[in-house]
Amino acid sequence: MDGRMEEQLHMERVCNAYGQYSMFQQALRKSLRKRHKSKKYLPKGLVSSSPEALEREKTFREAEGRNQAFLDSVMMHANQPTSRDQLEYKKREGDQYRFESDGDHSKIQSVLKSCIRDWSAEGAREREQCYSPIINACVKYVKKG
């Protein structure tokens, strides 16, 4: 396989994973809930019917929606199909829906964390810790002009 074809397949997998983010996160949480069925061993806040767990579930769903909207914006900017476009295509074509790999989805977590660090007020402290040493070294050692 030539480099161009490899690049195209990689881009396709990444875009599919971006489009699957919200569904993947929901499936992951559902799997975790199944593993935590034995209520007698869990703290009250983790029992799925507790008010704390219900509130946490609501918070996660809202965050997933915002994250998916952000990822869809990235894909729209790159002229790639959004999560909704992907679902509509699959329904229209009758394709079996398959998730990309766990590895591809874990990369999305890294992308989201990097975006928070690099572009949000919440990431200011980490941004300072990451980039200040590099900036200071450049200022100190790179000649001006």
Side-chain angles (χ1 to χ4, degrees):
M1 183 182 311
D2 72 1
R4 183 170 275 175
M5 180 59 107
E6 253 180 71
E7 177 103 10
Q8 178 66 32
L9 289 174
H10 174 73
M11 179 69 160
E12 210 171 282
R13 275 197 344 267
V14 168
C15 289
N16 285 341
Y18 272 36
Q20 297 168 354
Y21 169 81
S22 185
M23 286 192 318
F24 185 83
Q25 292 302 116
Q26 290 169 22
L28 185 62
R29 274 200 332 283
K30 186 177 181 179
S31 170
L32 289 172
R33 279 194 306 273
K34 282 182 182 179
R35 279 194 268 167
H36 292 122
K37 277 197 172 188
S38 179
K39 296 177 182 180
K40 67 180 181 179
Y41 297 111
L42 290 175
K44 277 187 179 179
L46 291 179
V47 175
S48 61
S49 59
S50 72
E52 297 92 345
L54 295 172
E55 184 61 32
R56 188 172 40 258
E57 180 71 21
K58 179 183 174 196
T59 301
F60 281 138
R61 279 195 316 269
E62 290 170 355
E64 286 163 5
R66 286 189 303 272
N67 289 344
Q68 186 65 67
F70 170 75
L71 293 168
D72 282 346
S73 295
V74 169
M75 290 191 302
M76 283 176 22
H77 183 73
N79 294 317
Q80 296 296 319
T82 65
S83 58
R84 181 165 290 166
D85 297 334
Q86 289 179 16
L87 282 175
E88 288 174 5
Y89 174 79
K90 297 283 185 188
K91 285 179 189 175
R92 193 172 53 247
E93 300 299 314
D95 283 352
Q96 183 75 20
Y97 202 85
R98 85 176 166 75
F99 281 118
E100 294 300 328
S101 73
D102 289 351
D104 290 328
H105 284 281
S106 72
K107 291 174 187 171
I108 294 173
Q109 297 298 332
S110 296
V111 167
L112 291 170
K113 287 176 186 174
S114 293
C115 289
I116 290 167
R117 179 194 63 217
D118 291 349
W119 299 103
S120 73
E122 292 90 351
R125 183 169 174 254
E126 187 178 349
R127 191 168 47 248
E128 173 74 21
Q129 292 171 336
C130 288
Y131 298 130
S132 286
I134 297 167
I135 293 169
N136 292 340
C138 288
V139 168
K140 183 175 180 179
Y141 296 109
V142 175
K143 293 181 182 180
K144 295 177 185 172

